[in-house]
Structure formats: C-alpha cells, structure tokens
Amino acid sequence: MRITLAARPVGFPKVSDFELGYAQRPTPKARQVLVRLIYLSLDPWLRSSMGGQESPHLPPIQLGELLPAHAVGHVVKSEDPDFREGDVVEGLLGWQEYAVVAGAELRKLDPNLAPISTALGVLGMPGLTAYFGLLDVGDLQPGETVLISGAAGGVGMLAGQIAKIRNCRVVGAATTEARTSWLCDELGFDAAFTTNNGGVLRDKLEASCPDGVDVYFDNVGGEVTDEAMCLLNEKARIVVCGQDSQDNLEKPEPGPRWLHRLIAKQARIQGFVVSSYSRLFSEGRAQLARWLHEGRLKNHEEVAQGLATAPQAFIGMLQGKNLGKQLVQVGERYRSPSL
Ligand SMILES: NC(=O)c1ccc[n+]([C@@H]2O[C@H](COP(=O)([O-])OP(=O)(O)OC[C@H]3O[C@@H](n4cnc5c(N)ncnc54)[C@H](OP(=O)(O)O)[C@@H]3O)[C@@H](O)[C@H]2O)c1
C-alpha cells in the first residue's frame, strides 16, 4: 500500500485529498536498500508541500506523487554493503509499506539504545528542533521565563522540558485544559494556560508570566503571539519555530502590528530551520539521549495503527488533537528467522 496526493487541500486537508493505492514491491539496485516501514512520522511541514508551497524541508509535491515523510523501518534486502537484512534504519521513506532508497540516505539505528520510534521524535527532528531552537536561537539562560505555544505537541513538549533542565521557569500555551494539566502534572511545566477555552488571553498570560517573558518559543502564531508581544522583557528573544494556527487558513489573517514593541524592549525575533544545524545533529542527539536515559526528559507518542489511518491521523494532528509526537505504525518489527 502507498498513499499519494489526490488533490491540493483548501483549508484543512480532507481524507479525499489522499489516495490509497497499491504497487509492486520494488527491487533495490546497486547501493540501494529495500526497507519495510515500521513507524511513519506525521509532521506539520507536509501541509505546505501538499498545498504546493515551498517548505524549508522539501520542495512542493505534485498531484499523484507519493507523500514524503520520515520513517523508521527494517532492511528487507540490501544491495549496499553497509546494510544487511534486519538492520533498523531511519530516512525519508514516504507514506508506503516498502521503500527503495540509496543506502547513503539512511541512518542506521541501534535498537538497544532507545525505542526505535524515538528516532522520529525526541531523538529525531522534533527533539533537535526544540534543542537548537531553544538553546542556540533562543540563547536560553538559567532562571529566565520561557513561554511556549503549541506546548503539548511533539516539539513543544520537549522544548518545555529542556528549559526545565536548564533551570528556567516554563509556561506552556495549549488548546485544552486536559493538555495544560498534562503539561504541569506530567512534564513539570511551572504554569500553563488554555488558548481557546474562554477567558481573556491577556489575563491568562499575565497570570502565568508575572515576571514577563524572556524567551518566547512560538509554534502556533496568531492570537497567542500577538498577546505574548505585550509581555516581553528587556532583550527578550522570540524564536519562530512554526505558525500552526496560520497554516490551514484560506486567507491570511490580518493581525495587530506589534513590531514596534521590539524597539523599546530591544528584543530579537528570529526564524530558523533545524536542518541548518545538521553538522551538530550527533552532538544534539547525544545530549537528548543522555537526558532521556537519566529520566530528565519524558517522551510521549500517539500511534495510529495501520498506514490506511494516516490521512485521518494527519488531519487530527493539524487540528492539534495529538498529545506529544504523532506516529503511524505501518508494520511490525523484524524478527530473525532463528528466534
Ligand atoms: N523550524 C523548523 O525547523 C521546524 C522543525 C520541526 C517542526 N517545526 C514546526 O514546529 C511546529 C510544531 O511542530 P510539532 O511537530 O510539535 O507539531 P504538532 O505535534 O502538531 O504540535 C503542534 C501543536 O500546536 C497546536 N496547534 C496545532 N494546530 C493548531 C491550530 N490550528 N491552532 C492553534 N494551535 C494549534 C497543538 O497543540 P496545543 O494544544 O499544545 O496548542 C499542537 O499539538 C510546527 O509548526 C512545525 O512545522 C519547525
């Protein structure tokens, strides 16, 4: 089974924008590897590729093309001497059960180090995004107040925990009370408030950040960001990681003009693309793995079952329904015939 782009989404994608099809199992050529997928990562960047826009991660995809995605799988057949049957690998494998890719484009995983699904979450792109976005772009310092929007998603939950490890006061913005409770009770955030559950957003923000905001890690944009701008401290940093609330709008939303607030506060705003840190990925991954093993970083995944459920799970993720990292289980882990 494989899933391709049937129609460019207008607003939030619909199940009919995806097409399920079947293909012959491909055969690897020299230096290529056949991989059976185990976990597929669902990531918000796919929405802009589906819509035909440039994404920092991949060029736009065309109608009828396979949907791209990072995934973890096991090697079924290898024509690359660096890989053998049963190896667990991560790469851009797409929404399909079997993928043929050049060995050079795969990363071999050690299944004894951490659960293999973490290669798509805490030890993958979301973890590295939180790590470099907060510590390098945000230049986070101990004792500062960090505000995180989209805090209960794959990147946000890790950014908040990293900030706690760095002895900061961490405040999360999330869509529902169940999610804000989870942030405080399970992940150790100091405070969290709901963004679309009634009440005046500015009041909730002021109550959660009585000493203002030093670093704002923005995954969502829109109204929360407009209000956060009013609470910036001197020399605050705004890290623009994502703008989830804007990605599915049919027309851009007019918003308040708040750039003038950066002047008096001498604040800095910066967007970033995690791939620009690729030469530091091993260092970042090693630190994240240490924190994970020490129990200082908690992981949370939601796993939809079966490739056919991926469109619905993806739409749910764009509506903010997932807690933590959203994955799809496509197949089973390889078991050696000798076991
Ligand atoms: N710059 C980079 O290099 C880079 C790399 C990876 C990811 N990203 C971006 O980082 C952002 C977060 O990624 P992720 O993997 O954590 O995604 P995610 O798991 O979908 O989490 C995003 C969270 O934002 C909130 N949200 C989603 N849609 C929303 C909407 N329409 N309105 C308001 N809130 C909404 C939801 O949580 P709450 O209930 O908690 O609000 C959701 O869980 C995305 O924009 C992604 O594109 C950027």
Side-chain angles (χ1 to χ4, degrees), residues 12 42-46 56-57 125-126 129 149-157 173-176 179 183 195-196 217-221 224 240-248 271-275 316-326:
F12 276 99
L42 298 184
D43 293 286
W45 59 259
L46 180 61
H57 303 286
M125 189 169 75
T129 302
S149 63
V155 173
M157 69 160 181
T175 39
T176 64
R179 297 163 80 80
L183 292 171
T195 49
N196 55 0
F217 191 98
D218 189 14
N219 288 307
V220 167
V224 196
V240 187
C241 177
Q243 294 285 284
D244 275 354
S245 72
Q246 307 299 297
D247 290 346
N248 295 287
F272 77 106
V273 179
V274 67
S275 53
M317 186 197 67
L318 295 179
Q319 294 166 344
K321 290 191 176 152
N322 57 307
L323 209 52
K325 176 67 199 162
Q326 181 69 57

